[in-house]
């Protein structure tokens, strides 16, 4: 894949409940970064209603793009290309970004680069001047995916571990619901767990199973953990939720860290990268901190944003005529 010189790319991200636009120079310098979220709307329902998320995307997409251009002092003339998330994600939400980007590409006569949202999460590590070294291993942990990948270079991705059932973020979200904590579940559990950990620094957290942790493979499985939490909640009404939150977080984080560190021993990468919403988790960050060659994006670049879309498009520059671009909710990190 081609890699270019000076380039301002407008990234657009609408795969779930964030509407985001960002202008990034040369894949690394952030000129603007606008994120509007409809998450608050979903607090009432305890989860995303896809139809509502899509409607909110429609309302937000043009104002957000406009703000990303204005705050970076860019115009359609100074933008060199447009990048857009084509999947995976919710079809209604994805379509808003994809169709908007196609229209702008046609009107502004700008190249359009389709971007895989999961690959883009890895590129949070290039923002603001950082430069991870190849070959690298990356752990992508988001609401819908848990993937370990080996990257020989930009565009050369080999997945070698994934979840057999629920994703790590999904496990956080589902467990939070069981505990009666608000959506999105990851930050809610993390906040309660942090309160508990501050007051109980020496307590052992071993209530829940660490699925597949000792198995000689790079697969994950989080649905059993969710069932164990359900049983615990049903059997013990008095247990303080902060302790349970800490137990859940510890179980998820332990498995993620153990498998990722084992992967670095086998693959011996020059860099180890984290990405995706769950990488914002401070306990995960703390427990993996000493890994050699580690890069972890700032929390706001772990969760969904469009800067990673623009960065990914720069390092994997492959424009496609707008007529040939369509949303693909089922995309995997390997496709
Ligand atoms: O990457 P992301 O923003 O969206 C997807 O691509 O899915 O990830 C969202 C996921 C959600 O499951 C959310 O609960 C989780 O990331 N998350 C966290 C934290 N912040 C977001 N999980 C644990 N701790 C956090 N601090
Ligand atoms: Zn994401």
């Amino acid at each position: 894949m081609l890699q270019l010189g000076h380039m301002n790319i407008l990234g657009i991200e609408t795969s779930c409940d964030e509407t985001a636009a960002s202008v990034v120079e040369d894949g690394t310098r952030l000129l603007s970064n606008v994120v509007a979220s409809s998450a608050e709307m979903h607090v009432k329902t305890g989860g995303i209603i896809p139809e509502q998320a899509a409607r909110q995307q429609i309302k937000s997409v043009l104002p957000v793009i406009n703000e990303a251009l204005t705050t970076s002092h860019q115009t359609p003339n100074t933008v060199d290309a447009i990048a857009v998330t084509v999947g995976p994600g919710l079809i209604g939400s994805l379509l808003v970004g994809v169709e908007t980007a196609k229209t702008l590409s046609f009107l502004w006569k700008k190249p359009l680069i389709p971007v895989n949202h999961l690959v883009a999460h890895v590129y949070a590590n290039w923002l603001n001047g950082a430069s991870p070294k190849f070959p690298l291993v990356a752990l992508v942990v988001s609401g819908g995916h848990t993937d370990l990948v080996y990257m020989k270079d930009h565009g050369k991705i080999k997945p070698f571990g994934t979840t057999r059932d629920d994703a790590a973020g999904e496990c956080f979200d589902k467990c939070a619901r069981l505990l009666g904590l608000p959506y999105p579940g990851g930050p809610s559990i993390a906040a309660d767990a942090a309160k508990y950990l501050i007051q109980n620094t020496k307590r052992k957290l071993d209530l829940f199973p660490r699925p597949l942790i000792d198995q000689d493979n790079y697969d994950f499985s989080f649905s059993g953990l969710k069932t164990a939490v359900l049983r615990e909640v049903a059997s013990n009404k008095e247990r303080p939720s902060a302790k349970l939150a800490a137990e859940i977080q510890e179980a998820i984080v332990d498995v993620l860290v153990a498998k990722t560190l084992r992967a670095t021993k086998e693959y011996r990468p020059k860099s180890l990268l984290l990405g995706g919403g769950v990488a914002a988790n401070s306990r995960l960050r703390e427990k993996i901190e000493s890994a050699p060659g580690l890069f972890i994006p700032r929390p706001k670049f772990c969760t969904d944003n469009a800067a990673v879309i623009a960065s990914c498009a720069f390092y994997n520059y492959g424009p496609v005529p707008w007529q040939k671009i369509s949303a693909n909710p089922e995309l995997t990190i390997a496709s």
Side-chain angles (χ1 to χ4, degrees):
M1 255 172 271
L2 204 63
Q3 228 188 87
L4 301 179
H6 182 80
M7 224 190 198
N8 290 340
I9 299 186
L10 168 67
I12 300 172
E13 154 63 44
T14 69
S15 64
C16 192
D17 59 348
E18 269 87 26
T19 314
S22 167
V23 181
V24 177
E25 186 184 351
D26 297 343
T28 173
R29 268 183 303 283
L30 214 71
L31 303 186
S32 64
N33 185 34
V34 183
V35 183
S37 174
S38 63
E40 272 187 17
M41 229 172 73
H42 309 299
V43 171
K44 283 177 246 142
T45 45
I48 296 179
I49 296 181
E51 174 83 16
Q52 283 191 11
R55 282 172 195 270
Q56 208 54 36
Q57 293 285 4
I58 291 173
K59 281 191 197 158
S60 305
V61 72
L62 290 176
V64 164
I65 291 172
N66 197 35
E67 194 182 331
L69 289 176
T70 320
T71 53
S72 59
H73 308 291
Q74 300 293 306
T75 67
N77 281 333
T78 59
V79 164
D80 299 295
I82 301 167
V84 66
T85 302
V86 292
L90 303 170
I91 184 64
S93 290
L94 283 169
L95 279 170
V96 176
V98 169
E99 295 308 314
T100 304
K102 284 159 76 169
T103 307
L104 295 180
S105 162
F106 171 71
L107 288 174
W108 297 351
K109 301 184 176 52
K110 299 291 171 180
L112 180 58
I113 303 118
V115 172
N116 179 321
H117 179 91
L118 297 171
V119 178
H121 269 308
V122 177
Y123 281 86
N125 293 287
W126 270 266
L127 293 173
N128 292 326
S131 52
K133 302 264 176 295
F134 293 104
L136 61 83
V137 162
L139 171 71
V140 178
V141 265
S142 68
H145 297 80
T146 306
D147 291 310
L148 273 166
V149 298
Y150 180 79
M151 284 176 74
K152 236 176 164 174
D153 201 344
H154 296 295
K156 297 213 165 87
I157 298 194
K158 196 182 120 240
F160 62 90
T162 191
T163 181
R164 294 181 183 170
D165 39 57
D166 292 355
E170 192 177 352
C171 186
F172 269 110
D173 294 336
K174 286 179 174 168
C175 290
R177 278 185 87 150
L178 294 174
L179 265 53
L181 295 173
Y183 172 88
S188 298
I189 289 192
D192 265 19
K195 281 184 220 152
Y196 180 82
L197 288 171
I198 285 173
Q199 286 163 7
N200 301 273
T201 44
K202 294 267 180 308
R203 280 292 289 271
K204 256 187 115 184
L205 295 166
D206 55 6
L207 180 63
F208 293 121
R210 269 64 170 162
L212 310 187
I213 197 164
D214 293 320
Q215 279 192 18
D216 193 17
N217 58 45
Y218 297 107
D219 285 349
F220 300 93
S221 166
F222 292 107
S223 71
L225 180 55
K226 176 191 65 195
T227 312
V229 173
L230 175 65
R231 256 191 243 117
E232 182 62 28
V233 171
S235 72
N236 193 344
K237 294 255 174 344
E238 298 101 86
R239 196 180 287 272
S241 85
K243 161 128 191 340
L244 264 193
E247 292 277 11
I248 293 163
Q249 174 177 269
E250 206 73 6
I252 298 172
V253 165
D254 277 353
V255 180
L256 292 175
V257 172
K259 293 252 153 156
T260 304
L261 293 184
R262 182 179 308 155
T264 61
K265 291 201 179 92
E266 181 179 336
Y267 286 87
R268 307 213 156 272
K270 291 204 174 116
S271 308
L272 170 64
L273 275 52
L274 263 55
V278 178
N281 184 273
S282 42
R283 189 70 176 148
L284 171 61
R285 299 166 82 94
E286 191 181 302
K287 287 197 123 177
I288 206 160
E289 195 176 58
S290 58
L294 179 68
F295 288 77
I296 313 185
R298 282 156 58 196
K300 72 171 186 175
F301 297 121
C302 292
T303 49
D304 286 351
N305 66 86
V308 298
I309 307 304
S311 177
C312 183
F314 176 82
Y315 289 108
N316 301 272
Y317 193 78
V320 172
W322 65 263
Q323 297 89 335
K324 295 198 172 153
I325 289 184
S326 52
N328 181 358
E330 310 298 337
L331 215 58
T332 67
I333 200 160
S335 43

